[in-house]
Amino acid sequence: MGIPSKALHWWKQALAHHEAGQLGKARALYEKLIVRCPHCSVGVHNNMALLLDALGDEDSASAAWRRGWMLFPGNELLMQNIVYVNPYSSWSTIRPKKSGLIIWLANRLVTGLGDRMATYLTAATVAQLLEATVLTRWPTADDDTSDEEQRSTHYPSSIFEYLSLPPELSFEQDTQPKLGGAQVRVLHTAALPAFNWGFDLVPETMHKMLSKAGLIKFSFKRYLQAYMRVVSSIELKHQRLLALLPPTPYVGVHARRGDLAKDNAETQHHDAYLIALLKSKVAQQPDARFLVVSDNVTLRNAVSAELPTENMVTLALVPEEEQPLLDFFALARSSLIVQSVPGDDNFGGWSSFSYVASRIAGCPLEAYVNNGTRLHAMLQFASKPLANITVHVVPLGPSDRGMFKIALAHHEAGRLAEARPLYEKLVESNPEFSADLHNNLALLLVAIGKSKAARRVWRRGSNLFPENEKLQNNYAIIHATGEIS
């Protein structure tokens, strides 16, 4: 549909301002056109997004492209400017005048080796299907100072003396490569249909997202074949580390660092579940050999110590910057990989480190799933089994966080008799679970007339969480007055 005559003047003015670099004036006119006549022209949405991207407002640019994309599905102009971004990296289509399609994968944050390798595999797969080249970087600890993101912050400075990576990837040193007059356009992954964390790292879910978005028209069979081709190109080539890899066969076990985290909404105490699972495997197969890897030395030693010495495969300790690489490629030689057993949240039981290693090894990945975990969401969205994963439902009792959720539901519904024993059990077994646990139990005790008991709970909670303002205020009030508002 063309632009009606009433809006044509705005459109011409906006283009003139845009071409003259008067972006503020052009933006105001584009916004007016989008409000008054959203279906008039795909060019309005595309130009608005390009303008916002030029201003550095990637989130608004993403929203503008998505809005146009929903109004004009499959439009080639929009599809040229939309590829994909995830929270760790930005994909942008670039079309220099005298070359084919280039994808710039701008890894800006430092991630663990598993997420990093999974992201490269997805980029290389798409590049192979589109006959494109990926320009990218190997991020270092200097790229991001967030403690939350720096999970594997140090790698050898000469990383490419250690690794062979897919030939579709061309690594740059600069944070932004010199691309001449090429334009860079960005869309965040969250704008892809049904995006969820981790969907971009697994072929079944990534293919479905890209297909629903109209960005690719390849069958899943063809996508998976391309994925496995790029997987086969990943190798460890450093001779010293190669000599340290243990003889096979063995079962690889990946115990994630987060499995020992306390009072963390994203992880749970999985280590006891994992140890129980491995002991059951030893009982079933007494001569089985196990290799345990982890980015937490304490956790690795704790898991290993629970298994018979004769069943354990040892892996050398190397300098800190080399250890993730040795762990990863040792895991990638396993005949079976067991990844962490889930808690009850999005991060429970999932590890890209385990997943990519299993694809390189060509071995089954034994994964454990329950509702609410990332793996459960992947299976639901993919509507098919994930190719190499053997999925088990774990009949575990509620985790601490699950128990707290049950207690909170009873509390909020006024079922105080049901909530109280759950709160009290948690306070006894895991007093450092959270400040809210102590506060909620104390408030419940006040509600049933047990102010002295509430005072004791608040005192204990205040000692454990001295920085929690809510606990401190409530304890101060009841200590002074014997009452709480």
Side-chain angles (χ1 to χ4, degrees):
M1 180 188 298
I3 299 179
S5 57
K6 290 184 179 180
L8 186 59
H9 180 62
W10 296 339
W11 172 238
K12 290 180 177 179
Q13 277 192 318
L15 285 175
H17 289 313
H18 199 162
E19 291 171 357
Q22 298 167 340
L23 302 188
K25 293 179 179 179
R27 178 176 183 174
L29 289 167
Y30 286 144
E31 287 174 343
K32 183 185 290 189
L33 280 164
I34 287 170
V35 171
R36 301 282 183 89
C37 191
H39 292 86
C40 286
S41 171
V42 67
V44 174
H45 298 278
N46 196 60
N47 284 15
M48 181 64 171
L50 291 172
L51 183 152
L52 291 167
D53 189 52
L55 292 172
D57 189 350
E58 293 182 358
D59 290 338
S60 296
S62 171
W65 265 314
R66 186 182 186 190
R67 182 168 54 242
W69 178 11
M70 293 174 69
L71 291 169
F72 301 92
N75 180 271
E76 290 187 5
L77 178 62
L78 287 171
M79 287 172 65
Q80 287 176 3
N81 291 331
I82 297 174
V83 176
Y84 152 75
V85 172
N86 75 23
Y88 288 142
S89 45
S90 304
W91 292 29
S92 311
T93 55
I94 304 168
R95 290 185 179 274
K97 293 180 181 179
K98 295 184 180 180
S99 68
L101 176 65
I102 297 176
I103 299 174
W104 167 231
L105 174 59
N107 283 13
R108 293 174 297 188
L109 300 182
V110 178
T111 67
L113 185 62
D115 283 347
R116 186 178 299 213
M117 298 294 273
T119 300
Y120 289 143
L121 284 174
T122 300
T125 300
V126 174
Q128 186 176 117
L129 290 167
L130 298 178
E131 299 182 353
T133 300
V134 178
L135 298 184
T136 189
R137 302 178 57 247
W138 184 277
T140 68
D142 295 334
D143 291 323
D144 182 63
T145 57
S146 166
D147 291 336
E148 180 182 352
E149 302 300 345
Q150 290 197 18
R151 284 175 281 168
S152 294
T153 55
H154 301 291
Y155 296 96
S157 57
S158 54
I159 187 67
F160 302 110
E161 295 179 8
Y162 289 76
L163 293 175
S164 291
L165 291 167
E168 292 80 8
L169 303 176
S170 177
F171 286 84
E172 302 282 328
Q173 291 185 345
D174 297 332
T175 56
Q176 179 68 42
K178 297 176 176 63
L179 299 167
Q183 291 184 327
V184 178
R185 291 98 174 191
V186 176
L187 175 73
H188 288 289
T189 329
L192 289 173
F195 171 77
N196 200 344
W197 189 274
F199 282 13
D200 49 329
L201 306 179
V202 174
E204 289 82 357
T205 47
M206 184 60 182
H207 175 268
K208 188 169 182 177
M209 283 199 301
L210 292 174
S211 296
K212 286 171 70 71
L215 293 176
I216 60 172
K217 297 181 180 179
F218 305 109
S219 68
F220 174 67
K221 180 179 179 181
R222 186 174 173 189
Y223 185 95
L224 186 59
Q225 287 172 341
Y227 180 84
M228 293 311 298
R229 281 195 294 270
V230 299
V231 166
S232 68
S233 65
I234 295 179
E235 294 179 347
L236 178 66
K237 61 181 182 180
H238 194 277
Q239 293 302 313
R240 178 170 51 80
L241 292 190
L242 281 169
L244 296 175
L245 293 173
T248 58
Y250 49 76
V251 174
V253 181
H254 180 214
R256 304 173 310 164
R257 181 180 72 182
D259 295 345
L260 278 181
K262 290 185 177 181
D263 194 28
N264 187 325
E266 295 180 350
T267 54
Q268 296 295 319
H269 301 272
H270 307 160
D271 51 314
Y273 300 146
L274 183 59
I275 289 167
L277 169 69
L278 296 178
K279 285 184 175 180
S280 72
K281 289 189 173 296
V282 171
Q284 295 165 9
Q285 191 177 349
D287 60 345
R289 300 168 70 239
F290 296 89
L291 170 74
V292 179
V293 300
S294 177
D295 55 354
N296 182 292
V297 176
T298 301
L299 177 57
R300 183 192 63 209
N301 293 341
V303 173
S304 300
E306 294 290 336
L307 297 174
T309 304
E310 61 271 21
N311 291 89
M312 299 307 300
V313 175
T314 58
L315 189 62
L317 293 178
V318 293
E320 179 185 7
E321 65 272 13
E322 295 180 339
Q323 196 68 52
L325 298 171
L326 183 61
D327 287 354
F328 179 78
F329 283 99
L331 196 64
R333 290 160 53 90
S334 305
S335 56
L336 167 69
I337 295 177
V338 177
Q339 68 179 31
S340 297
V341 181
D344 60 356
D345 56 21
N346 183 45
F347 283 77
W350 176 257
S351 164
S352 297
F353 193 92
S354 304
Y355 178 76
V356 176
S358 75
R359 301 316 302 251
I360 295 173
C363 74
L365 174 64
E366 202 160 299
Y368 295 80
V369 64
N370 52 22
N371 291 345
T373 60
R374 187 188 306 186
L375 180 55
H376 179 260
M378 288 176 178
L379 291 166
Q380 293 291 104
F381 178 71
S383 304
K384 64 176 71 175
L386 305 186
N388 67 317
I389 296 183
T390 301
V391 175
H392 304 281
V393 176
V394 186
L396 302 174
S399 65
D400 288 352
R401 187 158 299 279
M403 189 182 300
F404 179 74
K405 289 179 179 178
I406 295 170
L408 184 61
H410 285 313
H411 195 166
E412 292 176 342
R415 298 186 293 269
L416 305 189
E418 288 84 353
R420 180 182 175 184
L422 296 175
Y423 282 146
E424 289 178 335
K425 183 177 180 179
L426 271 174
V427 166
E428 183 63 30
S429 65
N430 187 7
E432 296 181 351
F433 176 80
S434 75
D436 283 344
L437 169 62
H438 295 268
N439 198 57
N440 288 9
L441 176 57
L443 289 171
L444 185 153
L445 292 169
V446 169
I448 62 176
K450 296 186 177 295
S451 295
K452 289 184 178 179
R455 186 181 292 112
R456 288 194 296 271
V457 172
W458 264 314
R459 183 191 307 123
R460 186 182 186 189
S462 297
N463 290 335
L464 288 169
F465 301 95
E467 303 300 322
N468 187 275
E469 187 175 332
K470 182 163 53 175
L471 264 178
Q472 298 298 331
N473 288 345
N474 286 344
Y475 177 53
I477 292 171
I478 198 168
H479 184 68
T481 66
E483 298 178 357
I484 189 74
S485 57

